[in-house]
Amino acid sequence: MTGAHRDAIRTARSVVVKIGTTALTTPKGMFDASRLASLADAIQARMKAGSDVVIVSSGAIAAGIEPLGLSRRPTDLATKQAAASVGQVALVNAWSAAFGRYDRTVGQVLVSAHDIAMRVQHTNAQRTLDRLRALHAVAIVNENDTVATNEIRFGDNDRLSALVAHLVGADALILLSDIDGLYDSDPRKGNARFISEVAGADDLDGVIAGGGSSLGTGGMASKLSSALLAADAGVPVLLAAAADAGAALSEASVGTVFAPRPERMSSRRFWVRYAAESTGALMLDDGAVRAVVEHRRSLLPAGITEVSGRFHGGDVVELRSLDGTVVARGVVAYDAAELSTMVGRSTTDLPADMRRPAVHADDLVAV
């Protein structure tokens, strides 16, 4: 099946390409526009062959280090945000210059985790990206590091790229960094086994994924998580080295491929499961857990044992078993105060205007 999945990536008409910080910097951490230009060449070749490409580019903080006279990547939040502010200008100018050689126009799209989590902003970002593509501009997406906090981060844009891939309905996601694929342990320490395809959970038995480098915030753990997220949503993923960008973008003959689930998840269900911020939680009894998880039924107030958090009707909440395990996420129909008065009560005992499910099956996704 490996050939089939690589063929799907090779022939994909709509592709999201994520480029990590280390792919755009020297070993000393300085932004290198020539590396970016080389990647633009490979992406241009893919676009010339007929594919529509959206780029998720890291590197803003790194690009701001030298202009600000800093000796290394900052560690405190304020300086990171200042470097990102300066670096975003340098980064998008570099992309603009690189694609200008091919008479292509670029557009910058800066988003935060909050933008993706809120349904209205999520939809607006989708419209912007769709319109840029319709106008034949190359969209350069990045996290808005100037306003992001340590608590709200995508992880060197790995997770963001997976969300964007689903947002734009991409046929494939290609993750490019300094890592040439997935290994079962750190290849720098020797005796690591290369994994050419991940078709399911069994292929990840014994895999140890590490954290990020001093230059970026991703690392194998972040890339693995994001690849599995996109694959679970129905998008095939290729994880490869930026040095192999030409082969990755043309033939998909390098790196590790992650097989997608057979059916693509709907945009709304994907948003509920992966993108939306949960604003509260509902504790369920064992019967309600079975109904929700095994039979995909709506959640009724009778199966709820406890309500926590401050939420309103239309917000996304976590559904938890009695031991606290999150078993599903869904769009709740009532606000917290109202639902608290309904806990454990049969629908027939409630007023007529309170007989809707607490979470309808159409708005519920098991995790």
Side-chain angles (χ1 to χ4, degrees):
M1 290 299 289
T2 301
H5 298 313
R6 291 187 186 273
D7 283 346
I9 294 170
R10 179 179 57 82
T11 60
R13 295 300 301 271
S14 176
V15 183
V16 170
V17 178
K18 184 269 177 178
I19 298 169
T21 298
T22 53
L24 301 175
T25 54
T26 66
K28 292 185 178 181
M30 294 295 107
F31 178 67
D32 186 349
S34 66
R35 296 187 181 213
L36 182 149
S38 295
L39 290 167
D41 292 340
I43 294 170
Q44 161 63 18
R46 179 65 184 248
M47 291 191 292
K48 188 176 180 180
S51 292
D52 186 14
V53 178
V54 171
I55 299 170
V56 177
S57 175
S58 298
I61 294 176
I65 292 175
E66 190 170 6
L68 288 175
L70 303 174
S71 59
R72 61 182 183 277
R73 182 183 175 91
T75 56
D76 66 287
L77 182 59
T79 309
K80 283 182 182 178
Q81 291 173 326
S85 177
V86 173
Q88 288 288 7
V89 177
L91 184 64
V92 76
N93 281 344
W95 280 115
S96 183
F99 281 112
R101 297 172 299 159
Y102 301 107
D103 295 323
R104 291 190 182 273
T105 299
V106 306
Q108 184 182 46
V109 180
L110 298 178
V111 296
S112 67
H114 183 73
D115 294 327
I116 298 293
M118 303 305 293
R119 189 64 179 173
V120 173
Q121 289 95 318
H122 180 279
T123 303
N124 286 340
Q126 186 178 46
R127 287 200 198 101
T128 299
L129 290 167
D130 287 345
R131 190 59 182 148
L132 281 171
R133 292 191 298 168
L135 293 170
H136 306 293
V138 183
I140 309 296
V141 184
N142 197 355
E143 180 174 10
N144 192 353
D145 290 312
T146 60
V147 298
T149 68
N150 284 331
E151 291 76 26
I152 305 175
R153 292 303 310 272
F154 285 113
D156 201 32
N157 285 331
D158 290 320
R159 180 176 173 82
L160 174 59
S161 67
L163 297 176
V164 169
H166 196 275
L167 193 70
V168 302
D171 301 315
L173 169 63
I174 299 176
L175 302 173
L176 299 176
S177 67
D178 60 341
I179 303 169
D180 66 351
L182 178 66
Y183 291 82
D184 62 356
S185 61
D186 190 341
R188 294 170 297 184
K189 298 180 180 179
N191 299 320
R193 178 176 61 88
F194 181 75
I195 301 171
S196 63
E197 178 180 11
V198 176
D202 290 346
D203 294 327
L204 297 175
D205 286 347
V207 172
I208 301 173
S213 70
S214 60
L215 304 178
T217 56
M220 183 50 72
S222 173
K223 290 169 180 57
L224 177 57
S225 174
S226 300
L228 293 174
L229 186 161
D232 184 53
V235 181
V237 182
L238 181 66
L239 172 62
D244 298 327
L249 285 160
S250 61
E251 297 298 328
S253 57
V254 294
T256 300
V257 65
F258 292 79
R261 68 186 297 166
E263 295 182 1
R264 188 154 188 143
M265 192 179 292
S266 72
S267 178
R268 180 169 176 80
R269 292 174 70 83
F270 180 87
W271 178 77
V272 169
R273 180 167 184 174
Y274 292 115
E277 293 177 2
S278 61
T279 54
L282 308 180
M283 193 78 76
L284 315 186
D285 62 28
D286 293 340
V289 170
R290 286 193 297 272
V292 166
V293 176
E294 297 177 16
H295 303 294
R296 305 301 171 92
R297 293 177 180 168
S298 298
L299 174 63
L300 303 178
I304 301 173
T305 63
E306 184 181 341
V307 174
S308 62
R310 300 176 64 180
F311 53 82
H312 302 280
D315 288 348
V316 173
V317 296
E318 294 177 343
L319 309 185
R320 300 177 179 174
S321 60
L322 292 175
D323 64 1
T325 301
V326 178
V327 297
R329 287 162 60 92
V331 180
V332 69
Y334 305 93
D335 63 32
E338 190 174 29
L339 191 55
S340 294
T341 68
M342 303 162 62
V343 168
R345 296 174 63 183
S346 170
T347 303
T348 56
D349 295 334
L350 296 170
D353 62 343
M354 299 174 71
R355 291 179 181 175
R356 292 167 294 152
V359 180
H360 194 279
D362 292 342
D363 293 325
L364 190 155
V365 183
V367 299

